[in-house]
Amino acid sequence: MSALGPMIGNCMYFKRIASPQHGADLTKLQFGIDRYHNESLRLLQVMESRLAEGPREFLCGSGKGALTCADLACYGYTQCHWWAGIALDPFPHVRAWLARLTGIESARTGLKFPTGKVSMMADDWSEEAAEHRRRVEQHAVEDKRVYFGWKDLAALKEDSELSGIFTTKEEKIQA
């Protein structure tokens, strides 16, 4: 599972940072987008298969497993699946695992680092975050782009209604 972070991270990079810079012409990026997206799906399938055994509650340990650093190492990037453009519908055991870990207070606290707030990119449970994600996606559609990204977040930051979801540099320093 050591490749999960780099693969999902590269998937995020190609979809969220590089692609908005290229507009509608993604020919130079499509290989990278497809490669990292497909490898992320493959690794999530490895997790799904492992969690389906028994079924298991955690990735490692005997029986149903026990919470280990393997779970924590995979949690952060898996939790940001929306930002990577990866739907977890085909992975019910991974979804249940995410919910289980998110139910642990210290894991939720970790999602608040470094700003003190849970990012809308990782917040799978609030209606407010779902609405913000919908607006980010819609902005890219209006701009005639397949993938949304930082460009869309920056545009929405100007919307006073959404300004509360963004953390200022001063707030990050205080956190």
Side-chain angles (χ1 to χ4, degrees), residues 16-88:
R16 307 300 170 224
I17 297 171
S19 71
Q21 304 305 315
H22 287 20
D25 182 14
L26 298 178
T27 53
K28 292 181 180 180
L29 300 176
Q30 199 61 56
F31 175 82
I33 291 170
D34 293 344
R35 190 237 185 292
Y36 293 114
H37 180 88
N38 292 333
E39 185 61 11
S40 296
L41 290 176
R42 187 189 73 76
L43 292 169
L44 288 168
Q45 184 57 57
V46 170
M47 286 177 65
E48 178 69 16
S49 297
R50 176 68 173 158
L51 291 165
E53 295 171 3
R56 301 178 57 80
E57 292 184 6
F58 301 101
L59 295 171
C60 296
S62 59
K64 291 186 178 268
L67 180 64
T68 67
C69 62
D71 295 288
L72 300 176
C74 294
Y75 178 67
Y77 276 101
T78 306
Q79 187 67 33
C80 290
H81 62 90
W82 170 78
W83 190 245
I86 297 172
L88 293 184

Coordinates of all heavy atoms in Angstrom, one line a residue, residues 16-88:
R16 N -6.1 18.2 -11.1 CA -6.5 19.4 -10.4 C -5.5 20.6 -10.7 O -5.9 21.7 -10.5 CB -6.6 19.2 -8.9 CG -7.5 18.0 -8.6 CD -8.9 18.3 -9.1 NE -9.7 17.0 -8.9 CZ -10.5 16.5 -9.8 NH1 -10.7 17.2 -11.0 NH2 -11.1 15.4 -9.6
I17 N -4.3 20.3 -11.0 CA -3.3 21.4 -11.2 C -2.9 21.5 -12.6 O -3.0 22.6 -13.2 CB -2.1 21.2 -10.3 CG1 -2.5 21.2 -8.8 CG2 -1.0 22.3 -10.6 CD1 -1.4 20.8 -7.8
A18 N -2.5 20.4 -13.3 CA -2.1 20.5 -14.6 C -3.2 20.7 -15.6 O -3.1 21.6 -16.5 CB -1.3 19.3 -15.0
S19 N -4.3 19.9 -15.5 CA -5.3 20.0 -16.5 C -6.0 21.4 -16.6 O -6.3 21.8 -17.7 CB -6.3 18.9 -16.4 OG -7.1 19.1 -15.2
P20 N -6.3 22.1 -15.5 CA -7.0 23.4 -15.7 C -6.1 24.4 -16.4 O -6.6 25.3 -17.0 CB -7.2 23.8 -14.2 CG -7.4 22.6 -13.5 CD -6.4 21.6 -14.1
Q21 N -4.8 24.1 -16.4 CA -3.9 25.0 -17.2 C -4.0 24.8 -18.7 O -3.5 25.6 -19.4 CB -2.4 24.8 -16.7 CG -2.2 25.0 -15.2 CD -2.7 26.3 -14.7 OE1 -2.5 27.4 -15.3 NE2 -3.5 26.3 -13.6
H22 N -4.5 23.6 -19.1 CA -4.5 23.3 -20.5 C -5.9 23.4 -21.1 O -6.1 23.1 -22.3 CB -4.0 21.8 -20.7 CG -2.6 21.6 -20.5 ND1 -1.8 22.5 -19.9 CD2 -1.7 20.7 -20.9 CE1 -0.5 22.1 -19.9 NE2 -0.5 21.0 -20.5
G23 N -6.9 23.9 -20.3 CA -8.2 24.1 -20.9 C -8.8 22.8 -21.4 O -8.7 21.7 -20.7
A24 N -9.4 22.8 -22.6 CA -10.1 21.7 -23.1 C -9.1 20.7 -23.8 O -9.5 19.6 -24.0 CB -11.1 22.2 -24.1
D25 N -7.9 21.1 -24.2 CA -7.0 20.3 -24.9 C -6.1 19.5 -23.9 O -5.1 20.0 -23.4 CB -6.1 21.1 -25.8 CG -5.2 20.2 -26.6 OD1 -5.3 19.0 -26.6 OD2 -4.2 20.8 -27.2
L26 N -6.5 18.3 -23.6 CA -5.8 17.5 -22.6 C -4.9 16.5 -23.3 O -4.4 15.5 -22.6 CB -6.7 16.8 -21.7 CG -7.6 17.7 -20.8 CD1 -8.6 16.9 -20.0 CD2 -6.8 18.7 -20.0
T27 N -4.6 16.6 -24.6 CA -3.9 15.5 -25.3 C -2.5 15.3 -24.7 O -2.1 14.1 -24.6 CB -3.7 15.9 -26.8 OG1 -3.2 17.2 -26.9 CG2 -5.1 15.8 -27.5
K28 N -1.8 16.3 -24.2 CA -0.5 16.1 -23.6 C -0.5 15.5 -22.2 O 0.5 15.0 -21.8 CB 0.3 17.5 -23.6 CG 0.6 18.0 -24.9 CD 1.4 19.3 -24.8 CE 1.7 19.8 -26.2 NZ 2.5 21.1 -26.2
L29 N -1.7 15.6 -21.6 CA -1.8 15.1 -20.2 C -2.5 13.8 -20.1 O -2.5 13.2 -19.0 CB -2.6 16.2 -19.4 CG -1.9 17.5 -19.2 CD1 -2.9 18.5 -18.4 CD2 -0.6 17.5 -18.6
Q30 N -3.3 13.4 -21.1 CA -4.2 12.3 -21.0 C -3.5 11.0 -20.5 O -4.0 10.2 -19.7 CB -4.9 12.0 -22.3 CG -6.2 11.2 -22.1 CD -7.2 11.9 -21.1 OE1 -7.6 13.0 -21.3 NE2 -7.6 11.2 -20.1
F31 N -2.3 10.7 -21.0 CA -1.6 9.5 -20.6 C -1.4 9.5 -19.1 O -1.6 8.6 -18.4 CB -0.2 9.4 -21.3 CG 0.5 8.2 -20.8 CD1 0.3 6.9 -21.3 CD2 1.5 8.4 -19.8 CE1 1.0 5.8 -20.8 CE2 2.2 7.3 -19.3 CZ 2.0 6.0 -19.8
G32 N -0.9 10.7 -18.5 CA -0.6 10.8 -17.1 C -1.9 10.7 -16.3 O -2.0 10.0 -15.3
I33 N -3.0 11.3 -16.8 CA -4.3 11.3 -16.1 C -4.7 9.8 -16.0 O -5.1 9.3 -14.9 CB -5.3 12.2 -16.8 CG1 -5.0 13.7 -16.6 CG2 -6.7 11.9 -16.3 CD1 -5.8 14.6 -17.5
D34 N -4.7 9.2 -17.2 CA -5.2 7.8 -17.2 C -4.4 6.8 -16.4 O -4.9 6.0 -15.6 CB -5.3 7.3 -18.6 CG -6.3 8.0 -19.5 OD1 -7.2 8.6 -18.9 OD2 -6.2 7.9 -20.7
R35 N -3.0 7.0 -16.5 CA -2.1 6.1 -15.8 C -2.3 6.2 -14.2 O -2.5 5.2 -13.6 CB -0.7 6.5 -16.1 CG 0.3 5.4 -15.6 CD 1.3 6.0 -14.7 NE 2.4 5.2 -14.2 CZ 2.3 4.2 -13.3 NH1 1.1 3.8 -13.0 NH2 3.3 3.6 -12.9
Y36 N -2.4 7.4 -13.7 CA -2.5 7.6 -12.2 C -3.9 7.3 -11.8 O -4.1 6.8 -10.7 CB -2.0 9.0 -11.8 CG -0.5 9.1 -12.0 CD1 0.0 9.9 -13.0 CD2 0.4 8.2 -11.3 CE1 1.4 10.0 -13.2 CE2 1.8 8.3 -11.5 CZ 2.2 9.2 -12.5 OH 3.6 9.2 -12.7
H37 N -4.9 7.6 -12.6 CA -6.3 7.3 -12.2 C -6.4 5.8 -12.1 O -6.9 5.2 -11.1 CB -7.3 7.9 -13.2 CG -8.7 7.6 -12.9 ND1 -9.4 8.4 -12.0 CD2 -9.5 6.6 -13.2 CE1 -10.6 7.9 -11.9 NE2 -10.7 6.8 -12.6
N38 N -6.0 5.1 -13.1 CA -6.2 3.6 -13.2 C -5.3 2.9 -12.1 O -5.8 1.9 -11.5 CB -5.8 3.1 -14.6 CG -6.8 3.5 -15.6 OD1 -8.0 3.7 -15.3 ND2 -6.4 3.6 -16.8
E39 N -4.1 3.4 -11.8 CA -3.3 2.8 -10.8 C -3.9 3.1 -9.4 O -3.9 2.2 -8.5 CB -1.9 3.3 -10.8 CG -0.9 2.7 -9.8 CD -0.8 1.2 -10.0 OE1 -1.2 0.6 -11.0 OE2 -0.2 0.5 -9.1
S40 N -4.5 4.2 -9.2 CA -5.2 4.5 -7.9 C -6.4 3.6 -7.8 O -6.6 3.0 -6.7 CB -5.7 6.0 -7.9 OG -4.7 6.9 -8.0
L41 N -7.2 3.3 -8.8 CA -8.3 2.4 -8.8 C -7.8 1.0 -8.4 O -8.4 0.3 -7.6 CB -9.0 2.3 -10.1 CG -9.9 3.6 -10.4 CD1 -10.5 3.4 -11.8 CD2 -10.9 3.9 -9.4
R42 N -6.6 0.6 -9.0 CA -6.1 -0.7 -8.8 C -5.7 -0.9 -7.3 O -6.0 -1.9 -6.7 CB -4.9 -1.0 -9.6 CG -4.3 -2.4 -9.5 CD -3.0 -2.6 -10.2 NE -1.9 -2.0 -9.5 CZ -1.3 -2.5 -8.4 NH1 -1.7 -3.6 -7.9 NH2 -0.3 -1.8 -7.8
L43 N -5.1 0.1 -6.7 CA -4.7 0.1 -5.3 C -5.9 0.1 -4.4 O -5.9 -0.6 -3.4 CB -3.7 1.2 -5.0 CG -2.4 1.1 -5.7 CD1 -1.6 2.4 -5.5 CD2 -1.6 -0.1 -5.1
L44 N -6.9 0.9 -4.8 CA -8.2 0.8 -4.0 C -8.8 -0.5 -4.1 O -9.4 -1.0 -3.1 CB -9.1 1.9 -4.4 CG -8.7 3.4 -4.0 CD1 -9.5 4.4 -4.8 CD2 -8.8 3.6 -2.5
Q45 N -8.7 -1.2 -5.2 CA -9.2 -2.6 -5.3 C -8.4 -3.5 -4.4 O -9.0 -4.5 -3.8 CB -9.2 -3.0 -6.8 CG -9.8 -4.4 -7.0 CD -11.3 -4.5 -6.4 OE1 -12.1 -3.7 -6.9 NE2 -11.6 -5.4 -5.5
V46 N -7.1 -3.3 -4.3 CA -6.3 -4.1 -3.4 C -6.9 -4.0 -1.9 O -7.1 -4.9 -1.2 CB -4.8 -3.8 -3.4 CG1 -4.0 -4.4 -2.3 CG2 -4.3 -4.2 -4.8
M47 N -7.1 -2.7 -1.6 CA -7.7 -2.4 -0.2 C -9.0 -3.1 -0.1 O -9.4 -3.7 0.9 CB -7.8 -0.9 0.0 CG -6.5 -0.2 0.3 SD -6.7 1.6 0.5 CE -7.7 1.6 2.0
E48 N -9.9 -2.9 -1.1 CA -11.2 -3.5 -1.1 C -11.2 -5.0 -0.9 O -11.9 -5.6 0.0 CB -12.0 -3.2 -2.4 CG -13.3 -3.7 -2.5 CD -14.4 -3.1 -1.6 OE1 -14.1 -2.0 -1.0 OE2 -15.4 -3.7 -1.4
S49 N -10.3 -5.7 -1.6 CA -10.2 -7.1 -1.5 C -9.7 -7.5 -0.1 O -10.2 -8.5 0.5 CB -9.2 -7.7 -2.5 OG -9.7 -7.4 -3.8
R50 N -8.7 -6.8 0.4 CA -8.2 -7.1 1.8 C -9.3 -6.9 2.8 O -9.5 -7.7 3.7 CB -7.0 -6.2 2.1 CG -6.5 -6.4 3.5 CD -5.8 -7.7 3.6 NE -5.1 -7.7 4.9 CZ -4.8 -8.9 5.6 NH1 -5.1 -10.0 5.0 NH2 -4.2 -8.8 6.7
L51 N -10.0 -5.8 2.7 CA -11.1 -5.5 3.7 C -12.3 -6.4 3.6 O -13.0 -6.7 4.6 CB -11.5 -4.0 3.6 CG -10.5 -3.0 4.0 CD1 -10.9 -1.6 3.5 CD2 -10.3 -3.0 5.5
A52 N -12.5 -7.0 2.4 CA -13.6 -7.9 2.2 C -13.4 -9.3 2.8 O -14.3 -10.1 3.0 CB -13.9 -8.1 0.7
E53 N -12.1 -9.6 3.1 CA -11.7 -10.9 3.7 C -12.3 -11.0 5.1 O -11.9 -10.3 6.0 CB -10.2 -11.1 3.7 CG -9.5 -11.2 2.4 CD -8.0 -11.1 2.6 OE1 -7.5 -11.1 3.8 OE2 -7.3 -11.1 1.6
G54 N -13.3 -11.8 5.2 CA -13.8 -12.0 6.6 C -15.2 -11.4 6.9 O -16.0 -12.2 7.4
P55 N -15.6 -10.2 6.7 CA -14.8 -9.0 6.3 C -14.0 -8.5 7.5 O -14.2 -8.8 8.6 CB -15.9 -8.0 6.0 CG -17.1 -8.4 6.8 CD -17.0 -9.9 7.0
R56 N -13.0 -7.7 7.1 CA -12.1 -7.1 8.1 C -12.5 -5.7 8.4 O -13.1 -5.0 7.6 CB -10.7 -7.1 7.5 CG -10.1 -8.4 7.1 CD -8.8 -8.3 6.4 NE -7.8 -7.6 7.3 CZ -7.2 -8.2 8.3 NH1 -7.4 -9.5 8.6 NH2 -6.4 -7.6 9.1
E57 N -12.1 -5.2 9.6 CA -12.4 -3.8 9.9 C -11.2 -2.9 9.6 O -11.3 -1.7 9.4 CB -12.8 -3.7 11.4 CG -14.1 -4.4 11.7 CD -14.5 -4.2 13.2 OE1 -13.8 -3.5 13.9 OE2 -15.5 -4.8 13.5
F58 N -10.0 -3.5 9.7 CA -8.8 -2.8 9.4 C -7.9 -3.6 8.5 O -8.1 -4.7 8.2 CB -8.1 -2.5 10.8 CG -8.9 -1.7 11.7 CD1 -9.6 -2.3 12.8 CD2 -9.1 -0.4 11.6 CE1 -10.4 -1.6 13.6 CE2 -9.9 0.4 12.4 CZ -10.5 -0.3 13.5
L59 N -6.9 -2.9 7.9 CA -6.0 -3.5 6.9 C -5.1 -4.6 7.4 O -4.8 -5.5 6.7 CB -5.2 -2.4 6.2 CG -6.0 -1.4 5.4 CD1 -5.1 -0.2 5.0 CD2 -6.7 -2.1 4.2
C60 N -4.6 -4.5 8.6 CA -3.6 -5.4 9.2 C -4.1 -6.1 10.5 O -5.0 -5.6 11.1 CB -2.3 -4.7 9.4 SG -1.5 -4.1 8.0
G61 N -3.4 -7.2 10.8 CA -3.7 -7.9 12.1 C -4.6 -9.1 11.8 O -5.1 -9.2 10.7
S62 N -4.6 -10.0 12.8 CA -5.4 -11.2 12.6 C -6.9 -11.0 12.8 O -7.3 -9.9 13.3 CB -4.9 -12.3 13.6 OG -5.0 -11.8 14.9
G63 N -7.7 -11.9 12.3 CA -9.1 -11.8 12.5 C -9.7 -10.6 11.7 O -9.4 -10.4 10.5
K64 N -10.4 -9.8 12.4 CA -11.0 -8.6 11.8 C -10.0 -7.4 11.7 O -10.2 -6.4 11.1 CB -12.2 -8.1 12.6 CG -13.4 -9.0 12.5 CD -14.6 -8.4 13.2 CE -15.7 -9.3 13.1 NZ -16.6 -9.0 11.9
G65 N -8.8 -7.7 12.2 CA -7.7 -6.7 12.1 C -7.7 -5.8 13.3 O -8.5 -5.8 14.1
A66 N -6.7 -4.9 13.3 CA -6.5 -4.0 14.3 C -6.0 -2.7 13.7 O -5.3 -2.7 12.7 CB -5.5 -4.5 15.4
L67 N -6.4 -1.6 14.3 CA -5.9 -0.3 13.8 C -4.4 -0.2 13.9 O -3.8 -0.4 15.0 CB -6.5 0.9 14.6 CG -6.2 2.3 14.2 CD1 -6.7 2.6 12.8 CD2 -6.7 3.3 15.2
T68 N -3.7 0.0 12.8 CA -2.3 0.1 12.7 C -1.9 1.3 11.9 O -2.7 2.0 11.3 CB -1.6 -1.1 12.1 OG1 -2.0 -1.1 10.7 CG2 -2.1 -2.4 12.8
C69 N -0.6 1.6 11.8 CA -0.1 2.7 11.0 C -0.4 2.5 9.5 O -0.5 3.5 8.8 CB 1.4 2.9 11.2 SG 2.4 1.5 10.8
A70 N -0.7 1.3 9.1 CA -1.1 1.0 7.7 C -2.4 1.7 7.4 O -2.6 2.3 6.4 CB -1.1 -0.5 7.4
D71 N -3.3 1.6 8.4 CA -4.6 2.3 8.2 C -4.4 3.8 8.1 O -5.0 4.5 7.3 CB -5.6 1.9 9.3 CG -5.9 0.4 9.3 OD1 -6.7 0.0 8.5 OD2 -5.4 -0.3 10.2
L72 N -3.6 4.3 9.1 CA -3.5 5.7 9.1 C -2.7 6.3 7.9 O -3.0 7.3 7.4 CB -2.7 6.1 10.4 CG -3.4 5.7 11.7 CD1 -2.6 6.0 12.9 CD2 -4.8 6.3 11.8
A73 N -1.8 5.5 7.4 CA -1.0 5.9 6.2 C -1.9 6.0 5.0 O -1.7 6.8 4.1 CB 0.1 4.9 5.9
C74 N -2.9 5.1 4.9 CA -3.8 5.1 3.7 C -5.0 6.0 3.9 O -5.6 6.4 2.9 CB -4.3 3.6 3.5 SG -3.0 2.5 3.0
Y75 N -5.3 6.4 5.1 CA -6.5 7.1 5.4 C -6.6 8.5 4.7 O -7.5 8.8 4.1 CB -6.7 7.3 6.9 CG -7.9 8.1 7.3 CD1 -9.2 7.6 7.1 CD2 -7.7 9.3 8.0 CE1 -10.3 8.3 7.6 CE2 -8.8 10.0 8.4 CZ -10.1 9.6 8.2 OH -11.1 10.3 8.6
G76 N -5.5 9.3 4.9 CA -5.5 10.6 4.4 C -5.8 10.8 2.9 O -6.7 11.5 2.5
Y77 N -5.0 10.0 2.1 CA -5.2 10.1 0.7 C -6.6 9.4 0.2 O -7.2 9.9 -0.7 CB -4.1 9.4 -0.1 CG -2.9 10.4 -0.3 CD1 -1.8 10.3 0.5 CD2 -3.0 11.4 -1.2 CE1 -0.8 11.2 0.4 CE2 -2.0 12.3 -1.4 CZ -0.8 12.2 -0.6 OH 0.2 13.1 -0.7
T78 N -6.9 8.4 0.9 CA -8.2 7.7 0.5 C -9.4 8.7 0.9 O -10.3 8.8 0.1 CB -8.4 6.4 1.3 OG1 -7.2 5.6 1.0 CG2 -9.6 5.7 0.8
Q79 N -9.3 9.4 2.0 CA -10.3 10.3 2.4 C -10.5 11.4 1.4 O -11.5 12.0 1.2 CB -10.0 10.9 3.8 CG -11.1 11.8 4.4 CD -12.3 11.0 4.7 OE1 -12.2 9.8 5.1 NE2 -13.5 11.6 4.6
C80 N -9.4 11.8 0.6 CA -9.5 12.8 -0.4 C -9.8 12.3 -1.8 O -9.4 12.9 -2.8 CB -8.1 13.6 -0.4 SG -7.9 14.6 1.1
H81 N -10.5 11.2 -1.8 CA -10.9 10.6 -3.1 C -11.6 11.6 -4.0 O -11.4 11.6 -5.3 CB -11.7 9.4 -2.9 CG -13.0 9.6 -2.3 ND1 -14.2 9.9 -2.9 CD2 -13.4 9.6 -0.9 CE1 -15.2 10.1 -2.1 NE2 -14.7 9.9 -0.9
W82 N -12.5 12.5 -3.5 CA -13.2 13.4 -4.3 C -12.2 14.3 -5.1 O -12.4 14.6 -6.3 CB -14.2 14.3 -3.5 CG -14.7 15.4 -4.3 CD1 -15.8 15.3 -5.2 CD2 -14.3 16.8 -4.3 NE1 -16.0 16.6 -5.7 CE2 -15.2 17.5 -5.2 CE3 -13.4 17.5 -3.6 CZ2 -15.0 18.8 -5.4 CZ3 -13.2 18.8 -3.8 CH2 -14.1 19.5 -4.7
W83 N -11.2 14.9 -4.4 CA -10.3 15.8 -5.0 C -9.5 15.0 -6.1 O -9.0 15.6 -7.1 CB -9.3 16.4 -3.9 CG -8.5 17.5 -4.5 CD1 -7.1 17.4 -4.5 CD2 -8.9 18.7 -5.0 NE1 -6.7 18.6 -5.1 CE2 -7.7 19.5 -5.3 CE3 -10.1 19.4 -5.1 CZ2 -7.8 20.7 -5.9 CZ3 -10.1 20.6 -5.7 CH2 -9.0 21.3 -6.0
A84 N -9.3 13.7 -5.9 CA -8.6 12.9 -7.0 C -9.5 12.5 -8.1 O -9.1 12.0 -9.1 CB -8.0 11.7 -6.3
G85 N -10.8 12.8 -7.9 CA -11.8 12.5 -9.0 C -12.1 11.0 -9.0 O -12.3 10.4 -10.1
I86 N -12.0 10.3 -7.9 CA -12.2 8.9 -7.8 C -13.5 8.6 -7.0 O -13.5 8.9 -5.8 CB -11.0 8.2 -7.2 CG1 -9.8 8.4 -8.1 CG2 -11.3 6.7 -7.0 CD1 -8.5 7.9 -7.5
A87 N -14.5 8.0 -7.6 CA -15.7 7.6 -6.9 C -15.4 6.3 -6.2 O -14.8 5.4 -6.7 CB -16.8 7.4 -7.9
L88 N -15.9 6.2 -4.9 CA -15.7 5.0 -4.1 C -16.9 4.1 -4.2 O -17.0 3.1 -3.5 CB -15.5 5.4 -2.7 CG -14.1 6.1 -2.4 CD1 -13.9 6.3 -0.9 CD2 -13.0 5.3 -3.0

